[in-house]
Amino acid sequence: MGRLCQTDGLTEDQTEILKAVRTFVEEKILPVATELEHADEYPQEIVDGLKELGIFGLMIPEEYDGLGESLLTYALCVEEIARGWMSVSGVINTHFIVAYMLMRHGTEEQKQRYLPRMATGEVRGAFSMSEPGLGSDVSAVKTKALRTDEGYEVTGQKMWLTNGGTSTLVALLAKTDEGADSVYRNMTTFLVEKEPGFGEVAQGVTIPGKLDKMGYKGVDTTEMVLEGHRIAADQVLGEAPGQGFYQMMDGVEVGRVNVAARACGIANRAFELGIAYAQQRETFGKPIAQHQAILFRLAEMATKVETAHAMMVRAARMKDAGERNDVEAGMAKLLASEYCNEVVEASFRIHGGYGYSREYEIERLYRESAFMLIGEGTSDIQKMIIGRRLLEDYGLR
């Protein structure tokens, strides 16, 4: 193991968990990742292995049959998994966000009902906020939930559901009429149960099929169409309508730490591939690693990997300490995603013409890294969040 992406102050349990995950990545993910990615094949055996490791319940409290670990532990595990294949980290990311939202905002009955089965992976979560006409502008949500005598009736179209096909529980944001002046207090999160698969997966709920993407293959990304889906009032997250926007933003905040961790893992792998190839490839009678231009490039790549890792760790530790970390999570996501793309491109350049070949792993990373720039909010959105909070902190009184 190289010197990059090391984390000080870990407990013995954290160290052992990371060691087990790292071994799993080396033995079970890296040897098959590129083949499965090119085939756009769902990594079922890998997912089954993650279930055995307890990754699906990593942060779920022990009282609900999880491991009760911290966000930092989870983020470091995600970093390792993304180093092997980013799509696999996507399989557990939205599941984790839904579990986190239940832990933070769910009723005790909802926690008892879902968390133990989420810890084992029996119940798989998906997170649904985006729609065809909106991404970061959450105020433009068009999916509506109308009150009925039995609960609600939900109609609308959602977009970009990671685990849309394999999930059995979807945390879905819809507009409700709470009579509030603010649009953000007229949104509610619903816990939608469904069957795994495609087509009609519940009454009034259809998952049309997988979306064809440039990268992020293997994991199922889908639409979700709701036409008069009837749902009971006790399936409102926390049973308090009108809190959905704030619940979703809480989930996105930890999701940004997760995406930062994924970007760190991709960047670390790209560096490993680049420095290895630079010592094997010879030009003008010597390995290209001995040319100053390549040495400079490797030095810059390693520095960016280390910097992104340090910011991701800080953001996770702040959240674990119960501190507000929207600025730190935004900074970590912004920097890690941008640096990830820069490091991957630098490694791609080191590989020369072979980097363009599908036989080489760097080609896959080149396509995967682009997703880091938009997942859980674009870089521009992160800058807006950071800038507004800085004005609050440094504003003239």
Side-chain angles (χ1 to χ4, degrees):
M1 185 174 65
R3 66 185 298 150
L4 300 184
C5 297
Q6 301 300 302
T7 309
D8 295 330
L10 297 182
T11 66
E12 184 176 341
D13 285 346
Q14 287 175 316
T15 301
E16 288 302 311
I17 290 171
L18 286 174
K19 182 179 178 181
V21 172
R22 189 174 297 121
T23 299
F24 184 83
V25 169
E26 293 288 339
E27 296 180 355
K28 303 297 184 181
I29 298 182
L30 279 171
V32 299
T34 297
E35 179 183 353
L36 291 177
E37 198 272 348
H38 287 171
D40 198 8
E41 182 177 336
Y42 187 79
Q44 188 60 57
E45 289 188 15
I46 293 173
V47 171
D48 291 341
L50 293 176
K51 288 181 182 178
E52 293 180 13
L53 283 175
I55 298 300
F56 283 92
L58 195 58
M59 275 191 68
I60 293 175
E62 293 180 2
E63 63 185 291
Y64 302 109
D65 300 334
L67 297 181
E69 275 295 332
S70 63
L71 177 61
L72 175 62
T73 307
Y74 179 80
L76 294 176
C77 288
V78 166
E79 182 181 40
E80 290 289 343
I81 293 169
R83 175 181 159 267
W85 183 13
M86 191 273 289
S87 290
V88 177
S89 66
V91 170
I92 59 175
N93 178 38
T94 52
H95 175 88
F96 154 69
I97 292 177
V98 176
Y100 173 83
M101 290 171 65
L102 276 162
M103 290 186 290
R104 283 290 303 272
H105 307 288
T107 64
E108 183 58 33
E109 183 180 355
Q110 289 169 345
K111 293 175 186 178
Q112 293 285 354
R113 182 175 182 179
Y114 294 117
L115 289 179
R117 292 184 295 148
M118 293 188 81
T120 62
E122 177 188 350
V123 170
R124 300 278 297 283
F127 177 83
S128 179
M129 185 168 62
S130 294
E131 296 182 1
L134 73 93
S136 300
D137 181 13
V138 185
S139 66
V141 165
K142 289 185 172 59
T143 298
K144 291 184 178 180
L146 301 177
R147 290 182 185 270
T148 66
D149 293 338
E150 292 78 26
Y152 293 84
E153 192 171 278
V154 187
T155 298
Q157 184 178 3
K158 309 301 281 188
M159 194 71 171
W160 306 120
L161 276 76
T162 301
N163 295 333
T166 50
S167 61
T168 55
L169 180 67
V170 181
L172 178 142
L173 185 66
K175 189 171 289 185
T176 55
D177 184 6
E178 307 304 326
D181 293 335
S182 170
V183 64
Y184 299 107
R185 295 196 175 277
N186 288 309
M187 298 183 191
T188 299
T189 300
F190 293 90
L191 300 172
V192 178
E193 294 185 3
K194 70 176 191 65
E195 293 296 319
F198 302 100
E200 187 171 353
V201 293
Q203 177 272 320
V205 178
T206 301
I207 303 293
K210 291 172 60 174
L211 298 170
D212 193 14
K213 310 181 296 292
M214 177 178 77
Y216 202 18
K217 302 284 190 176
V219 63
D220 50 302
T221 306
T222 74
E223 297 175 72
M224 183 178 188
V225 180
L226 302 104
E227 297 178 351
H229 173 62
R230 296 185 295 275
I231 190 166
D234 62 5
Q235 291 300 100
V236 170
L237 179 61
E239 292 187 351
Q243 301 299 311
F245 173 78
Y246 306 98
Q247 294 165 344
M248 285 276 171
M249 290 304 102
D250 192 21
V252 167
E253 196 170 281
V254 293
R256 285 178 180 138
V257 175
N258 178 287
V259 173
R262 292 157 80 175
C264 288
I266 295 173
N268 191 17
R269 182 59 179 168
F271 172 79
E272 291 174 346
L273 294 173
I275 198 169
Y277 186 81
Q279 295 172 79
Q280 297 164 0
R281 171 71 167 166
E282 292 189 0
T283 62
F284 304 103
K286 60 182 179 182
I288 61 173
Q290 294 182 20
H291 294 296
Q292 189 178 63
I294 300 299
L295 277 177
F296 283 6
R297 184 165 284 161
L298 291 169
E300 290 176 358
M301 292 163 65
T303 302
K304 290 174 179 177
V305 170
E306 279 289 83
T307 303
H309 174 83
M311 290 199 70
M312 178 271 292
V313 168
R314 180 168 183 262
R317 281 181 161 151
M318 286 188 69
K319 191 71 172 180
D320 285 332
E323 299 177 38
R324 182 175 178 177
N325 80 331
D326 52 345
V327 170
E328 288 72 19
M331 286 180 171
K333 195 275 174 184
L334 169 65
L335 193 80
S337 61
E338 295 288 349
Y339 276 1
C340 171
N341 276 264
E342 292 172 14
V343 170
V344 169
E345 182 173 352
S347 182
F348 177 82
R349 290 171 182 265
I350 288 172
H351 280 77
Y354 288 105
Y356 208 64
S357 168
R358 285 169 60 87
E359 294 180 18
Y360 281 71
E361 190 177 341
I362 190 63
E363 181 269 345
R364 169 170 62 84
L365 300 186
Y366 195 84
R367 289 181 289 104
E368 290 179 338
S369 62
F371 177 69
M372 299 296 96
L373 296 171
I374 56 176
E376 310 298 357
T378 65
S379 291
D380 289 336
I381 289 296
Q382 306 310 317
K383 292 174 185 177
M384 288 177 61
I385 293 169
I386 296 164
R388 286 171 179 170
R389 282 284 284 115
L390 291 176
L391 285 177
E392 291 180 21
D393 291 345
Y394 289 88
L396 299 178
R397 301 299 192 268

